[in-house]
Amino acid sequence: MKEKGIIFCLFLLTYTLVFAAEANYTITGTVIDASSKEPVEAASISLLNAKDSSYVAGGLSNAKGLFSLAAGKKAAYLLHITYLGYKSFYQNVNISSPNVNVGTISLAPDEIVLQEAVVIGKKPEIIVKKDTVEYDAGSYKTTENAVIEDLLKRLPGVEVDKDGNVTVNGKEVKKFLVDGKEFFTDDPKVASKNLPAEMVDKLQVVNRKSEMTRLTGFDDGDEETVINLTVRQGMKQGTMGNALAGIGADVERDNDTRYQAGTFINHMNNSDRYTLMAGVNNNNNMGAGDLGANQFGGMRMRRGAGGILQSENVMLNFNKDLSSKLKINGDLRFSGMDRNSLSNISETTLSEKQSQLDKTRTQTDYLSDNFSFNMRLDWNPNEKNTFIFRPYVRYNKSQSHEIESLDRFEYYTLDTLRSTLTDSRTKGDGISMGGTLEYAYNFAKQGRVLSTELSGSYGDSYSQEISNSTIREYKTGIFDYGYPQNLLGQGDDNNKNYSIRMDYVEPLGKGYLMRFSYRISQSNSESKNTTYDIINYQAVDTAIINGNQSRSTIRNATTQRFNIGFSSYRKNYNYTLGFNIDPNHSVNKTYQPTEEEINSSILIGPVNGKLPNIMGDSLISEIDQRVVNFSPDIRFRYNFGERTFFELRYEGETNQPTARQLRGDIDVSNPNNWVQGNPGLKPGYSNQMNMQFNKFVSESQLFYRFDLDGSFSSNDITAVTTMLDNGIRMTSYENINGNWNVRLRAGFNTPLKNKRFTVGNFAFTSYQNGKSYINQDENTLKNFSFNDRLNFTYRSDLFDIGINGLFSYSNITYSLNTSRNQNTLNWGAGAYTTWRLPSNFTFESDINWTARSGYDYGYNIPEVMWNAALSKRLFNKKAGTGTLKLQIYDILQDRNNISGSTTTNGFRTTESLSIPSFFMCSFIYKFSIFPKGSSATEQDVRGEERRWGGGGGFRGGGRPPM
């Protein structure tokens, strides 16, 4: 029996070796287009048995047209290659050696199919490649003067809100790249609102790994969603650009004049690129973000939302390969804006014994000027060393004038509690600068890497606010008394931060990596805030420091992270297991002025310019905190194929309190809503988990995905509301446990049988459990919401049409006051169309109808937004093309600009001023200069239709939001 067992084992081993040897036979090759000689991606490759044509193996060609199939054994086979719009290809292949390369295979267009309907042979609209979702820009036709934002609005799964923020499958896009290189690093709107849509070949949405991951090869879990725009091949050499000028008027509201003017010039020489953009307009297209809106501190920098704005900007981006080892990328930007806004807000605040209703009307004029400089220097002196240096400088200057009237009522009886009228003027400026230096050293042993990251920043800002308020207080709805409040507040904020991180990665063999990481961050902030009471006696102003309202803080915080991680990389899956230790140490000091300082700072006379802003020499609190958090770090990914994967990740992160949240005084600069900081706040800690499944079926071009994520927090920094007897609301902050949420996103997109029709659906559902405190009573918000958007498109050579439906439902409940539970519903439908007419005319139109219910009285108002444009190409010559375009915005004059939002203490509904209905006539001139021998075609130069779709044209400057 023993001998038989040995013989059986030897037989089994021999059979296994023979089978394994036979299984190593492969067939490889490259698929290209017969006319353009460019690679054909996603061609279907099948290996058939030569005897009976039975299926043996199959796959797809990659981005370079390459394919590889496992044959299994020596035999005669039939190679079959297919791709929509091309003739099927067959070739007999005899495999007698382990690796057989059939060379380059040219696919010829199927002229019969193309003559019948060109669009049948179109490229796939969407392709999934590992972490990248790639949209073929030519499949989503745009019109003359279209920009990237116009293209984005037609892509399934992509949302562009009214402020121009872009999200893809629920994730906000932080950066745009052009051919893989950064384009205006700090502001994605520069790319989306200015770059011409027709220069783009493919639009790739990438969950890009952190710089440290790309340097070391070890995934640290940090990533950001970016969009990479690949430029059409024919436009990568030469100069192209446009100039635009337009004039129009409002249909209503005194027939105010609307104008726009701008230019775009782009010069490329392969990898070198220089882009200049400039524009001015008053039709609500800023063309860039407002650097000062959120990046500079100080006092309350009020600014209006929505409204009507005028803007101007000049922007330069450059990208230069100085050598094969040294590359530089950077941008300079100046932008200015003047925004006039008017809003009406209805807001409820709920409690068990008392609920309040606020009716607020705010008119704001906000002006700002911004400057920024960013640069990136990549230096690879040799294969072992890599340096990346990224400095930046930003400056902002702004001012605002705001008039706000507020009436606060007891919710059930509608008795008036208080009313205020506040006239405030705010001005400020700020500068910040800093940079990051990253270095990686690759040892002789493959995979062994030592990397270091050094970063630092400095910021300084100043703000001043003068507010004059008339306050009226009531008892049970009857006027009691009124009084004025005139305050001048000043803030000086200074911040210094630095961080050092070191990573060491050690390969353990057979696809295993071990990483040891340490990071230390030090932040030092100083916030000086002085409040003056302005008293006018006998026409003379006297400014006296309000000691109770003048508080200054100093915060020194040190955050560390120790991490050890283990990764395994396999053919079909990989995983990372790690553990984090996060020690945090902070010291918070609060000062106020002494009586001597107050008396010595009394100013008599006109209050103009900057007043003394003092730290205060009386230390009223000092809190020393030490907190240590622990968390696992888990990531797992399984690849079912190149275009199908499942991913799971979990991570934790510390959230530091802000200087405003740590102040120990009561800020009464807003007469209705006081704010009291809490110097004893601990850092919050958030735990986040995400699961994702993506699949792309190349044969049917079906793409679908599921994305489930959730988070829960410990020591979450949460607002605590107290309703005072005089109707004032006091907001303070505490660390609270029990806040969590979960979200599920799902969607699909697929062309129908003949590829002219495409249908897609993207749904989003979420559940939020948020705790807060009102009058020392715990209030729990539970919010269930469901949103669904269905899209249907039809494309042809003559016209395109798209139809969409929208449904949004929210169920909101509060534990303290169930009578204010709400069920809100939004629903609607829309359509857009583009017609390519004879004599070089193009007509485009979009219309959207929305309705709502469940909101406060007066806000359940439906609206219909209808925009249209007609363009005519006047000439098309070698020197350039000229187009005349007439646009009409909000034809039915029905826009109401209403939105609703949920807070942990209640519900807020906002109606904002919107740009009125207007028309505009514009002239667009496009030009392009390509060197002799360039691969640019006549269609590339003139923006004419491509075989696979496309079109559109350049545009520059501003545009109406169509």
Side-chain angles (χ1 to χ4, degrees):
M1 291 294 295
K2 184 176 179 180
E3 292 178 351
K4 289 182 179 179
I6 294 174
I7 294 173
F8 176 78
C9 290
L10 290 173
F11 173 79
L12 184 61
L13 177 61
T14 302
Y15 178 84
T16 303
L17 291 174
V18 171
F19 180 82
E22 290 188 343
N24 286 331
Y25 288 93
T26 60
I27 179 172
T28 59
T30 305
V31 183
I32 66 171
D33 183 290
S35 57
S36 68
K37 307 302 181 184
E38 293 184 355
V40 176
E41 181 183 5
S44 179
I45 319 295
S46 299
L47 194 63
L48 310 177
N49 191 303
K51 294 181 179 179
D52 56 9
S53 296
S54 61
Y55 179 84
V56 176
L60 298 172
S61 58
N62 64 16
K64 296 181 179 180
L66 301 174
F67 66 88
S68 177
L69 300 178
K73 62 181 179 179
K74 296 179 180 180
Y77 295 96
L78 183 64
L79 183 66
H80 182 206
I81 302 178
T82 60
Y83 191 83
L84 289 173
Y86 290 94
K87 294 180 179 179
S88 294
F89 176 87
Y90 292 92
Q91 179 176 324
N92 292 310
V93 180
N94 290 312
I95 296 181
S96 57
S97 59
N99 296 296
V100 175
N101 191 322
V102 297
T104 300
I105 297 172
S106 299
L107 294 186
D110 189 340
E111 299 296 341
I112 296 177
V113 173
L114 292 176
Q115 290 172 10
E116 183 177 320
V118 174
V119 76
I120 290 179
K122 67 189 291 295
K123 295 179 181 178
E125 296 177 8
I126 302 176
I127 295 178
V128 177
K129 302 177 181 178
K130 297 183 179 179
D131 291 324
T132 302
V133 178
E134 181 178 277
Y135 297 88
D136 176 60
S139 296
Y140 303 91
K141 297 179 183 178
T142 52
T143 57
E144 195 76 31
N145 203 32
V147 290
I148 298 300
E149 185 176 83
D150 301 311
L151 175 63
L152 290 169
K153 290 178 179 179
R154 298 194 176 185
L155 303 183
V158 179
E159 296 287 339
V160 182
D161 67 17
K162 58 183 177 62
D163 296 319
N165 300 308
V166 180
T167 57
V168 182
N169 296 313
K171 297 180 180 180
E172 184 177 358
V173 174
K174 300 294 186 181
K175 290 181 181 178
F176 274 82
L177 311 177
V178 176
D179 281 339
K181 297 177 180 178
E182 294 183 354
F183 189 82
F184 289 93
T185 303
D186 62 351
D187 192 352
K189 295 180 186 178
V190 174
S192 63
K193 289 181 173 292
N194 293 279
L195 286 180
E198 74 169 0
M199 71 180 288
V200 178
D201 182 34
K202 294 181 176 64
L203 189 147
Q204 300 167 331
V205 180
V206 185
N207 290 326
R208 190 171 70 160
K209 305 296 183 182
S210 69
E211 200 78 63
M212 193 64 76
T213 296
R214 300 198 297 273
L215 287 173
T216 64
F218 190 100
D219 187 1
D220 61 5
D222 293 335
E223 64 180 29
E224 60 183 353
T225 300
V226 303
I227 289 180
N228 179 47
L229 307 172
T230 65
V231 178
R232 289 165 59 183
Q233 191 64 36
M235 294 185 174
K236 292 188 177 182
Q237 284 190 329
T239 303
M240 52 187 266
N242 68 66
L244 174 144
I247 191 72
D250 293 346
V251 177
E252 54 181 351
R253 298 186 189 174
D254 301 325
N255 294 319
D256 287 345
T257 301
R258 297 287 155 201
Y259 61 86
Q260 61 175 350
T263 185
F264 168 89
I265 302 174
N266 184 71
H267 175 76
M268 294 189 70
N269 183 11
N270 295 322
S271 60
D272 294 346
R273 183 186 68 243
Y274 305 91
T275 305
L276 174 66
M277 295 175 288
V280 59
N281 68 82
N282 70 344
N283 60 356
N284 275 29
N285 180 43
M286 186 172 181
D290 178 12
L291 286 176
N294 301 306
Q295 298 181 18
F296 299 100
M299 298 289 288
R300 290 186 304 128
M301 298 292 290
R302 303 186 184 192
R303 66 187 297 256
I308 302 174
L309 65 89
Q310 304 176 52
S311 66
E312 60 275 341
N313 57 72
V314 178
M315 297 172 283
L316 172 67
N317 179 262
F318 56 92
N319 194 91
K320 175 69 176 177
D321 289 1
L322 301 175
S323 69
S324 60
K325 299 180 179 180
L326 185 61
K327 302 176 182 179
I328 186 172
N329 174 282
D331 57 73
L332 288 163
R333 181 184 126 199
F334 167 79
S335 63
M337 64 172 290
D338 181 355
R339 183 192 299 269
N340 181 266
S341 64
L342 177 66
S343 64
N344 292 291
I345 300 175
S346 175
E347 181 175 8
T348 58
T349 302
L350 308 174
S351 71
E352 186 175 16
K353 299 178 181 178
Q354 181 186 19
S355 295
Q356 295 177 351
L357 170 66
D358 286 2
K359 294 287 187 179
T360 308
R361 181 180 177 85
T362 306
Q363 182 173 350
T364 305
D365 187 21
Y366 172 81
L367 298 93
S368 73
D369 292 316
N370 310 287
F371 170 81
S372 72
F373 167 74
N374 299 281
M375 190 178 75
R376 177 187 174 113
L377 190 69
D378 290 76
W379 183 37
N380 301 93
N382 50 53
E383 294 182 356
K384 291 186 176 182
N385 296 279
T386 301
F387 295 86
I388 301 174
F389 179 48
R390 293 177 293 172
Y392 70 87
V393 178
R394 296 169 188 159
Y395 173 76
N396 164 264
K397 184 177 182 179
S398 62
Q399 64 182 39
S400 68
H401 180 204
E402 180 178 278
I403 299 176
E404 178 185 274
S405 63
L406 178 143
D407 294 298
R408 178 164 292 162
F409 306 92
E410 203 285 325
Y411 181 76
Y412 295 102
T413 64
L414 292 183
D415 289 337
T416 305
L417 299 176
R418 66 189 290 111
S419 62
T420 63
L421 177 63
T422 301
D423 188 323
S424 62
R425 296 179 182 270
T426 303
K427 62 181 179 180
D429 58 74
I431 186 170
S432 65
M433 61 186 69
T436 301
L437 175 63
E438 291 162 310
Y439 168 71
Y441 179 79
N442 294 273
F443 291 86
K445 183 177 180 180
Q446 184 72 26
R448 180 181 292 170
V449 182
L450 175 65
S451 62
T452 303
E453 179 184 83
L454 306 176
S455 63
S457 65
Y458 169 83
D460 187 77
S461 64
Y462 165 79
S463 65
Q464 182 188 83
E465 179 178 5
I466 301 176
S467 61
N468 302 305
S469 302
T470 301
I471 304 167
R472 298 169 65 90
E473 295 188 358
Y474 297 77
K475 290 184 178 179
T476 63
I478 301 174
F479 175 67
D480 186 17
Y481 63 92
Y483 59 92
Q485 176 180 286
N486 300 318
L487 299 175
L488 184 151
Q490 293 189 147
D492 281 297
D493 286 335
N494 185 276
N495 302 278
K496 304 180 185 69
N497 303 275
Y498 76 85
S499 175
I500 301 174
R501 173 177 168 176
M502 297 188 69
D503 284 30
Y504 175 75
V505 177
E506 177 65 27
L508 303 180
K510 297 183 180 180
Y512 296 108
L513 292 176
M514 179 71 73
R515 184 190 68 170
F516 301 91
S517 178
Y518 173 71
R519 181 186 67 199
I520 181 171
S521 300
Q522 175 73 41
S523 64
N524 302 289
S525 62
E526 178 182 284
S527 178
K528 293 193 298 183
N529 298 279
T530 306
T531 301
Y532 287 85
D533 290 316
I534 308 299
I535 302 172
N536 186 278
Y537 180 70
Q538 295 183 350
V540 178
D541 288 337
T542 301
I544 304 174
I545 292 179
N546 186 323
N548 293 325
Q549 302 305 316
S550 300
R551 292 288 190 275
S552 298
T553 59
I554 294 178
R555 174 178 171 81
N556 297 314
T558 302
T559 302
Q560 301 179 75
R561 165 161 285 192
F562 299 89
N563 171 273
I564 183 171
F566 174 82
S567 286
S568 175
Y569 296 89
R570 292 293 179 264
K571 180 180 179 181
N572 294 325
Y573 68 91
N574 59 71
Y575 62 86
T576 299
L577 302 175
F579 187 75
N580 301 315
I581 304 175
D582 297 330
N584 299 282
H585 177 213
S586 63
V587 178
N588 306 294
K589 298 179 180 180
T590 304
Y591 296 85
Q592 71 174 16
T594 60
E595 193 69 29
E596 291 78 10
E597 287 180 302
I598 295 174
N599 294 332
S600 64
S601 300
I602 295 177
L603 300 174
I604 300 177
V607 179
N608 294 316
K610 186 176 181 180
L611 302 185
N613 196 20
I614 62 175
M615 171 64 71
D617 57 8
S618 176
L619 178 63
I620 60 176
S621 70
E622 181 176 1
I623 298 177
D624 191 314
Q625 292 182 336
R626 296 178 185 271
V627 179
V628 180
N629 291 303
F630 305 90
S631 67
D633 187 8
I634 303 171
R635 289 181 296 281
F636 173 79
R637 180 183 177 111
Y638 189 87
N639 298 306
F640 297 92
E642 185 179 359
R643 306 176 192 280
T644 304
F645 70 87
F646 168 80
E647 188 172 70
L648 167 69
R649 54 175 64 223
Y650 165 87
E651 58 187 347
E653 191 63 45
T654 299
N655 304 307
Q656 297 289 344
T658 65
R660 182 176 174 83
Q661 293 170 336
L662 291 168
R663 285 181 56 180
D665 66 318
I666 300 176
D667 179 1
V668 299
S669 56
N670 186 316
N672 303 297
N673 302 295
W674 295 356
V675 178
Q676 181 176 24
N678 179 2
L681 280 177
K682 298 178 181 179
Y685 200 81
S686 63
N687 303 268
Q688 300 179 353
M689 180 177 292
N690 174 264
M691 289 186 291
Q692 183 181 150
F693 178 79
N694 275 23
K695 184 175 181 63
F696 175 72
V697 183
S698 58
E699 292 80 3
S700 62
Q701 299 180 23
L702 167 65
F703 164 66
Y704 61 90
R705 64 173 291 154
F706 298 93
D707 197 333
L708 175 66
D709 63 80
S711 66
F712 64 94
S713 302
S714 58
N715 286 330
D716 196 21
I717 300 172
T718 306
V720 176
T721 302
T722 303
M723 298 180 180
L724 306 181
D725 293 336
N726 56 0
I728 295 175
R729 279 206 298 271
M730 174 88 75
T731 300
S732 57
Y733 304 94
E734 297 289 345
N735 292 112
I736 295 178
N737 295 319
N739 289 342
W740 59 273
N741 62 74
V742 62
R743 299 173 293 271
L744 173 64
R745 289 178 287 268
F748 75 90
N749 187 83
T750 184
L752 300 183
K753 185 176 180 181
N754 63 3
K755 302 299 186 291
R756 290 182 183 271
F757 297 90
T758 300
V759 62
N761 190 80
F762 287 83
F764 169 74
T765 185
S766 66
Y767 184 85
Q768 175 190 3
N769 187 90
K771 291 186 177 181
S772 63
Y773 283 87
I774 305 177
N775 293 339
Q776 299 181 344
D777 296 320
E778 182 180 289
N779 181 43
T780 301
L781 160 72
K782 298 182 183 297
N783 183 3
F784 169 78
S785 64
F786 175 78
N787 301 270
D788 188 79
R789 181 180 291 273
L790 176 66
N791 299 284
F792 179 86
T793 59
Y794 173 82
R795 301 182 180 91
S796 71
D797 294 332
L798 177 62
F799 67 91
D800 299 339
I801 187 170
I803 301 173
N804 63 76
L806 169 69
F807 177 84
S808 176
Y809 168 77
S810 290
N811 174 256
I812 307 160
T813 64
Y814 301 93
S815 61
L816 271 184
N817 194 323
T818 59
S819 64
R820 279 298 292 158
N821 293 348
Q822 284 189 301
N823 290 282
T824 63
L825 185 64
N826 295 266
W827 68 99
Y832 72 86
T833 186
T834 301
W835 287 76
R836 290 165 284 280
L837 305 174
S839 302
N840 292 319
F841 278 97
T842 301
F843 173 76
E844 57 182 315
S845 175
D846 64 82
I847 186 169
N848 289 279
W849 169 78
T850 56
R852 54 181 66 88
S853 66
Y855 295 89
D856 288 339
Y857 177 78
Y859 290 93
N860 297 302
I861 304 173
E863 72 171 15
V864 179
M865 273 293 296
W866 182 20
N867 310 314
L870 178 67
S871 61
K872 159 71 173 174
R873 180 166 289 182
L874 302 178
F875 59 86
N876 188 359
K877 299 181 179 180
K878 187 175 182 180
T881 64
T883 301
L884 193 65
K885 187 170 187 177
L886 176 65
Q887 299 164 288
I888 305 178
Y889 172 75
D890 191 11
I891 296 174
L892 301 179
Q893 304 177 26
D894 195 43
R895 185 178 184 184
N896 53 47
N897 216 29
I898 293 175
S899 61
S901 60
T902 303
T903 68
T904 53
N905 296 331
F907 195 82
R908 179 187 298 115
T909 309
T910 303
E911 181 180 16
S912 302
L913 172 69
S914 59
I915 191 167
S917 174
F918 70 91
F919 69 90
M920 181 168 289
C921 185
S922 304
F923 176 75
I924 307 110
Y925 174 74
K926 299 187 303 178
F927 67 91
S928 51
I929 305 171
F930 293 100
K932 292 182 179 180
S934 169
S935 59
T937 65
E938 184 177 356
Q939 287 82 4
D940 290 327
V941 174
R942 300 183 181 180
E944 297 174 355
E945 291 293 322
R946 290 173 283 169
R947 171 179 292 174
W948 304 118
F954 291 102
R955 59 140 286 197
R959 60 160 174 76
M962 294 187 61

